[in-house]
């Protein structure tokens, strides 16, 4: 393994050998998610909904809201046959700016899909999913889903076509779907005999 001294943190860091990479490592996650079958199935598990045919799979996609705006590198982006676009992220370090980061990711995604002269109604449904190896909210839930709700009347939703989902692998034991539970356990380093997990690990072995 490569050992180096990080001058910013003033710490010695050890980088993994390629054979050690797991699903939570950016490179491996992005490569595995290029498998359309795996990507579609994982989206279905998280959203508990049917997913159309996956199209335009891209990884490490660099985007910006403008020529002088900060650029971001999105882990995995995709669209489906129903017109929904997805940004799928793997996050291994907690940070207090996470919510505003999601806000900016949404902004650059919208900029990508609404060109000059187009009407706002043409903005596609947009879903950001972040797989986290930590519990950002410390509430012990396996997933946290966010959409806009009226403060004065909780029955009123602002239907802007966006959804943000944070997945917490630390609460794998509380996931109500068996396959999703096993994927969260895979994020935690535990490999099961579940057929979906076997498909993922075979893909990982092929990549290695």
């Amino acid at each position: 393994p490569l050992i180096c001294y990080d001058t910013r943190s003033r710490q010695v860091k050890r980088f993994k050998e390629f054979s050690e990479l797991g699903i939570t490592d950016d490179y491996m996650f992005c490569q595995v998610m290029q498998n359309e079958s795996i990507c579609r199935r994982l989206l279905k598990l998280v959203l508990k909904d049917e997913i159309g045919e996956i199209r335009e799979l891209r990884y490490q996609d660099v985007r910006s809201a403008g020529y002088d705006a900060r650029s971001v590198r999105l882990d995995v982006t995709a669209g489906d046959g129903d017109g929904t676009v997805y940004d799928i992220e793997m996050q291994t370090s907690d940070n207090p700016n996470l919510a505003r980061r999601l806000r900016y990711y949404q902004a650059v995604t919208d900029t990508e899909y609404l060109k000059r002269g187009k009407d706002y109604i043409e903005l596609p449904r947009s879903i950001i999913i972040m797989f986290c190896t930590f519990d950002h909210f410390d509430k012990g839930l396996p997933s946290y889903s966010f959409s806009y709700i009226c403060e004065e009347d909780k029955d009123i939703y602002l239907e802007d076509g966006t959804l943000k989902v944070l997945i917490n692998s630390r609460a794998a034991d509380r996931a109500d779907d068996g396959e999703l539970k096993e994927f969260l356990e895979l994020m935690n380093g535990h490999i099961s005999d579940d057929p979906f997990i076997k498909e993922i690990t075979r893909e990982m072995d092929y990549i290695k």
Side-chain angles (χ1 to χ4, degrees):
L2 175 65
I3 305 294
C4 75
Y5 180 73
D6 186 342
T7 56
R8 178 175 298 179
S9 65
R10 298 184 179 180
Q11 294 178 341
V12 175
K13 289 191 173 182
R14 173 188 181 275
F15 291 88
K16 294 180 179 179
E17 290 185 353
F18 196 77
S19 60
E20 297 176 321
L21 295 182
I23 194 63
T24 59
D25 292 293
D26 273 352
Y27 179 82
M28 184 59 69
F29 178 70
C30 291
Q31 291 296 319
V32 168
M33 291 298 286
Q34 295 308 295
N35 182 311
E36 293 183 14
S37 173
I38 292 175
C39 180
R40 185 168 180 264
R41 193 164 178 180
L42 189 56
L43 289 173
K44 182 178 179 180
L45 290 178
V46 170
L47 300 173
K48 299 179 176 61
D49 196 6
E50 290 298 324
I51 306 298
E53 178 187 359
I54 294 296
R55 302 173 180 174
E56 300 178 4
L57 262 174
R58 292 183 282 181
Y59 68 96
Q60 296 295 302
D61 191 16
V62 178
R63 294 182 182 179
S64 172
Y67 76 94
D68 60 347
R70 175 172 177 165
S71 62
V72 296
R73 189 183 302 271
L74 306 180
D75 283 351
V76 179
T77 59
D80 69 16
D82 298 325
T84 301
V85 296
Y86 304 91
D87 170 24
I88 312 164
E89 303 285 328
M90 178 62 71
Q91 185 72 20
T92 58
S93 57
D94 200 355
N95 195 299
N97 69 12
L98 189 61
R100 298 197 181 217
R101 181 178 176 182
L102 289 168
R103 170 182 164 183
Y104 193 68
Y105 281 15
Q106 185 65 65
V108 298
T109 298
D110 288 345
T111 302
E112 174 80 8
Y113 287 96
L114 193 67
K115 302 303 181 184
R116 182 178 299 172
K118 298 293 184 179
D119 189 86
Y120 295 115
I121 196 65
E122 297 185 52
L123 275 173
R125 184 177 183 226
S126 175
I127 299 176
I128 301 175
I129 300 172
M130 185 169 284
F131 290 93
C132 303
T133 58
F134 51 85
D135 188 349
H136 183 69
F137 302 100
D138 292 323
K139 296 296 184 181
L141 298 178
S143 65
Y144 302 89
S145 302
F146 299 93
S147 55
Y148 293 104
I149 300 177
C150 177
E151 292 286 345
E152 292 77 17
D153 185 338
K154 305 301 182 184
D155 291 328
I156 300 175
Y157 286 80
L158 184 64
E159 299 288 353
D160 69 340
T162 66
L163 175 67
K164 299 173 183 65
V165 183
L166 272 68
I167 302 296
N168 167 30
S169 73
R170 291 178 60 184
D173 60 328
R174 296 188 62 186
D176 55 9
D177 185 284
E179 285 190 330
L180 180 59
K181 174 183 182 297
E182 297 302 337
F183 181 79
L184 299 187
E185 291 290 11
L186 179 64
M187 289 176 60
N188 296 331
H190 307 297
I191 300 175
S192 74
D193 290 330
D194 178 83
F196 182 44
I197 301 304
K198 285 185 175 181
E199 182 181 0
I200 293 174
T201 54
R202 280 196 300 269
E203 188 74 12
M204 292 168 64
D205 290 341
Y206 173 77
I207 292 166
K208 291 177 181 179

